[in-house]
Amino acid sequence: MIRKSSGKCLISIIIPTYKRNKKLKELINSLIEQAPKEIKIEIIIIGNKKINFKSSNHLILKKNIKLKSILIKKNSNAIKRNIGLKFARGSNLILIDDDCLPEKNFIKNYIQLFKKIKDRDILCGSVKYLKTKVKKENFTRYRQSRHFIINTNNLNKKNYLSAKQIVTMNMGMKNSKLLKRTKYFNEKFGGYGFEDYEFGYRLIKQGFKFIASKPVVYHLDERNYRDYLSKIYFLSRYSVSKL
């Protein structure tokens, strides 16, 4: 249940980041602009550079929103997300990546869904891609085909997601004792990649349910097909090297 603002933070939004300052500021401003005034929110940024929010002229500050910046030198999404999750004080959690831009009602949609889920339910939001130049159009269509888009805040609890379908770039859940016991993401994965699939597989075995849901982000990944293939090579060569 979501209660109106008190002294307690109700939603923690966790953003792992690495060398994407422009996109990060755009993301933070979008979250601040759409945040309901009656809800207390903390935004936790974990990355290679600590942000001085008071000296930034590009951020819109609001009284009901608290911004935290945590410095970590190692570029590991698993470690960054885990740090954010451990520092989070909100009763509800949202994970979003620094190359994503939320739609206008992103937070409001999550608030509605948090009222409907239990401790073992994890929401995976929708992902869209913006139209690109003609030479990248087929590749964009391919990437879009790999993500679902949900148009209603009704939850389909008869058709849960498999581990390979989960979306960590846009995810919501309860900050529960059950979640804490999972120890979150496996930090043995190097850099980024595959820690999300392992997270899904392990939590599904523990009785958690992943649910496709409405809150939308636009994935502002500008890589071309060749760069995308290089990413796949990187994942297979380095991400699992420590396992």
Side-chain angles (χ1 to χ4, degrees), residues 16-21 46-48 73-75 80 98:
T17 186
Y18 185 73
K19 294 184 178 181
R20 288 194 178 119
N21 293 342
I46 312 97
N48 62 301
K73 293 183 178 180
K74 190 169 184 178
N75 185 24
K80 290 175 187 175
D98 64 350

Side-chain angles (χ1 to χ4, degrees), residues 120-149:
R120 289 190 188 274
D121 294 331
I122 296 181
L123 302 166
C124 290
S126 300
V127 177
K128 292 182 181 180
Y129 288 85
L130 297 171
K131 291 183 179 180
T132 59
K133 296 178 182 179
V134 176
K135 65 180 181 179
K136 289 179 64 178
E137 191 173 339
N138 289 337
F139 179 53
T140 302
R141 279 202 297 266
Y142 162 73
R143 298 201 69 182
Q144 185 64 75
S145 71
R146 300 179 73 242
H147 291 283
F148 51 80
I149 298 174

Side-chain angles (χ1 to χ4, degrees), residues 16 35 41 61 82 94 108 139 170 176 196 202-203 223 230:
I41 294 173
L61 303 179
N82 285 352
I94 296 174
K108 287 185 178 179
F139 179 53
N170 180 11
S176 67
D196 47 0
R202 178 164 41 87
L203 266 64
R223 276 177 292 214
S230 296

Side-chain angles (χ1 to χ4, degrees), residues 30-191:
S30 177
L31 293 170
I32 292 173
E33 285 175 359
Q34 65 175 267
K37 293 180 181 179
E38 68 276 11
I39 299 293
K40 282 192 174 291
I41 294 173
E42 66 174 356
I43 300 175
I44 306 173
I45 300 99
I46 312 97
N48 62 301
K49 185 177 180 181
K50 196 162 186 176
I51 304 169
N52 186 343
F53 299 110
K54 291 182 179 179
S55 66
S56 177
N57 297 321
H58 302 285
L59 293 177
I60 305 164
L61 303 179
K62 289 184 179 180
K63 290 182 179 179
N64 64 313
I65 297 176
K66 186 173 183 179
L67 301 173
K68 295 180 181 179
S69 178
I70 300 172
L71 176 65
I72 172 175
K73 293 183 178 180
K74 190 169 184 178
N75 185 24
S76 163
N77 272 355
I79 294 175
K80 290 175 187 175
R81 290 190 183 115
N82 285 352
I83 290 173
L85 289 165
K86 289 170 185 175
F87 272 83
R89 295 295 176 261
S91 53
N92 302 281
L93 307 169
I94 296 174
L95 300 180
I96 183 170
D97 282 1
D98 64 350
D99 60 349
C100 293
L101 189 65
E103 277 195 336
K104 184 178 179 180
N105 293 318
F106 176 80
I107 294 177
K108 287 185 178 179
N109 284 328
Y110 262 121
I111 289 171
Q112 291 299 314
L113 292 171
F114 285 141
K115 298 174 184 177
K116 301 178 182 180
I117 65 170
K118 298 179 180 179
D119 288 353
R120 289 190 188 274
D121 294 331
I122 296 181
L123 302 166
C124 290
S126 300
V127 177
K128 292 182 181 180
Y129 288 85
L130 297 171
K131 291 183 179 180
T132 59
K133 296 178 182 179
V134 176
K135 65 180 181 179
K136 289 179 64 178
E137 191 173 339
N138 289 337
F139 179 53
T140 302
R141 279 202 297 266
Y142 162 73
R143 298 201 69 182
Q144 185 64 75
S145 71
R146 300 179 73 242
H147 291 283
F148 51 80
I149 298 174
I150 306 298
N151 296 314
T152 175
N153 268 335
N154 295 327
L155 294 178
N156 184 358
K157 292 192 175 183
K158 294 182 180 179
N159 187 19
Y160 295 114
L161 298 173
S162 65
K164 67 179 181 180
Q165 296 172 302
I166 72 168
V167 181
T168 51
M169 73 176 83
N170 180 11
M171 178 176 281
M173 64 205 90
K174 295 290 184 181
N175 193 1
S176 67
K177 291 181 180 178
L178 282 173
L179 182 67
K180 289 181 174 66
R181 287 179 197 147
T182 69
K183 298 183 179 179
Y184 309 127
F185 293 89
N186 188 339
E187 296 182 5
K188 290 183 179 180
F189 287 90

